[in-house]
Amino acid sequence: MSIVQAWIFSIAGIVSTKPTVLKPMGKMKYIASAAALFAFVSVTWVGAFAQDFDRGMRAAESGDFTTAVQEWRPLAVQGHASAQSSLGYMYEFGLGVLQSDVEAADLYRRAADQGLADAQFNLAVMLDQGRGVRLDDAAAAKWYRLAAEQGHVSAQYNLGLMYKWAEGVEKSDAETFEWHRQAALQGHAAAQASLGAMYDSGRGVVQDYLEALAWYRLAAERGHSSSQSYLGDMYAVGLGVTQSNTLAYMWYFISIANGAPEASGGRDRISDRMTPDEISTAQSMARKCVETGYETCE
C-alpha cells in the first residue's frame, strides 16, 4: 500500500503498521494517524485558507509532496491547526522535507494545543515512544485522553492499553474496559477483540462467554485474525456456543490464512476428531465465509 493510499484508506479507519494481538492483551498500540492529513474534512473552511489547503491536499494525493509542503507551511505559520498537523505528518515521514521527529512533534503540539484530535493523538504517540520528545507516559496518557474524549477511536484504544499496563496512569481494568468499549462501538477490531478477551477471562468485567463470543465475532468479521482463532477455541470446547468441530476448524482455517500461525495448533487438534469429508466441508465453508465478506459463515 502506498503512502497516499494509506491516507485515503485512513478516512475509514486508522492504518496501523503494527500487528495487534489481544489474548493476552499486548502492548501493541496504534501509531501515527494518517488521518491528520484529512483533518479538514470535518470542518467547513472558507476563503483563501481553504483554497491553499485544498491545493496542498491535491498535491499530496498526487504524490507531489514538495508542493503540498509549500502550500501548508505558510498556513501553519499563521496558526492554522489542520495545516500544522498535516505538515507535522510530512516531517514525521520525510515527505517533501527532511525527516525530523523534532519538527513533527513541535507541529503536532501546536495543533494539539488548539484542540485538534488527530494532532493530540499523534503527539501522544510520539510522547509514548519518545520520538522527537522525551519519553513521557503521563503526558502521552493526557493527550490520548484529550483525543479520546473527542471520539478519536485509536486514542480510545491506546488509552485503554495505558490503563492496562499502568503506563502514565494507575492500572485499571475498569478503565481499559470502558475505553475499549467506546472504541469497539466505533468498529475498532482490536478493541472488539479486547472486549472479547476481557469477557472471556472475567478481567475488569463479570465473565460472560456469550458476550465474549459476540465481540470476538464482530472483530473476526472485520478480519481480525486472532479473534478468528479465539472463535475457533470457543467452538472447539463449546464456550458460549454449541460445540462444533466443523465451525472450530473453519475459524482456525480462516485465521491461519489471515496470518495467525498460532491457530495451527487448534486446527491440528480439532482435525484429529474429524473425518476427511468433515474437514473438506469446513474448508469449503471457510472459503465461502471469506468470499462473502464474512456474511455467510455459519
Side-chain angles (χ1 to χ4, degrees):
M1 179 184 296
S2 72
I3 290 291
V4 171
Q5 287 174 319
W7 293 343
I8 294 170
F9 290 156
S10 74
I11 293 176
I14 304 305
V15 175
S16 171
T17 62
K18 293 185 178 181
T20 306
V21 180
L22 273 296
K23 188 183 181 183
M25 285 173 59
K27 293 189 178 182
M28 300 299 184
K29 294 175 184 166
Y30 276 68
I31 63 171
S33 168
L37 287 176
F38 293 91
F40 78 102
V41 299
S42 62
V43 181
T44 302
W45 299 106
V46 295
F49 167 73
Q51 296 174 10
D52 293 344
F53 193 91
D54 288 350
R55 278 197 295 270
M57 182 60 62
R58 289 193 295 271
E61 289 173 340
S62 69
D64 185 358
F65 305 126
T66 300
T67 296
V69 169
Q70 290 172 349
E71 294 290 345
W72 289 335
R73 190 183 301 281
L75 301 177
V77 171
Q78 293 172 40
H80 292 288
S82 296
Q84 290 168 341
S85 187
S86 297
L87 189 59
Y89 185 86
M90 304 298 268
Y91 271 105
E92 184 176 359
F93 292 97
L95 302 172
V97 293
L98 289 176
Q99 195 280 336
S100 172
D101 285 341
V102 173
E103 287 286 345
D106 179 64
L107 285 158
Y108 288 150
R109 186 179 297 277
R110 284 191 257 165
D113 284 338
Q114 297 189 62
L116 190 66
D118 287 312
Q120 291 170 341
F121 172 75
N122 286 348
L123 176 60
V125 170
M126 301 198 83
L127 288 161
D128 198 354
Q129 299 178 346
R131 291 190 297 110
V133 290
R134 181 177 60 85
L135 190 150
D136 188 333
D137 286 342
K142 165 197 164 182
W143 288 109
Y144 280 141
R145 178 179 295 277
L146 287 170
E149 288 173 346
Q150 294 192 63
H152 193 291
V153 65
S154 292
Q156 292 169 342
Y157 176 72
N158 282 8
L159 182 59
L161 289 186
M162 300 292 275
Y163 278 106
K164 165 63 181 174
W165 298 108
E167 295 179 344
V169 292
E170 290 188 11
K171 177 180 172 61
S172 172
D173 287 338
E175 288 283 351
T176 296
F177 178 85
E178 177 55 26
W179 287 111
H180 283 183
R181 184 188 68 83
Q182 291 190 37
L185 290 173
Q186 293 196 64
H188 192 290
Q192 292 169 339
S194 173
L195 289 191
M198 296 185 83
Y199 275 113
D200 194 351
S201 64
R203 188 181 67 253
V205 67
V206 175
Q207 189 175 54
D208 187 329
Y209 293 130
L210 287 174
E211 283 288 338
L213 183 78
W215 286 110
Y216 283 150
R217 190 184 305 280
L218 285 172
E221 290 172 352
R222 296 182 70 85
H224 193 274
S225 60
S226 294
S227 290
Q228 292 163 348
S229 179
Y230 305 154
L231 276 181
D233 292 341
M234 298 193 83
Y235 276 108
V237 297
L239 288 177
V241 69
T242 301
Q243 195 279 336
S244 171
N245 293 341
T246 301
L247 289 172
Y249 188 102
M250 181 197 77
W251 283 114
Y252 287 139
F253 189 85
I254 293 171
S255 177
I256 294 166
N258 283 334
E262 67 271 16
S264 60
R267 178 205 57 191
D268 293 344
R269 286 189 296 273
I270 207 72
S271 64
D272 288 340
R273 310 180 203 167
M274 301 171 69
T275 67
D277 285 345
E278 288 172 334
I279 291 173
S280 178
T281 296
Q283 291 174 345
S284 295
M285 290 173 62
R287 285 188 286 270
K288 183 177 181 181
C289 176
V290 174
E291 288 170 358
T292 60
Y294 300 100
E295 291 185 0
T296 308
C297 296
E298 299 179 16

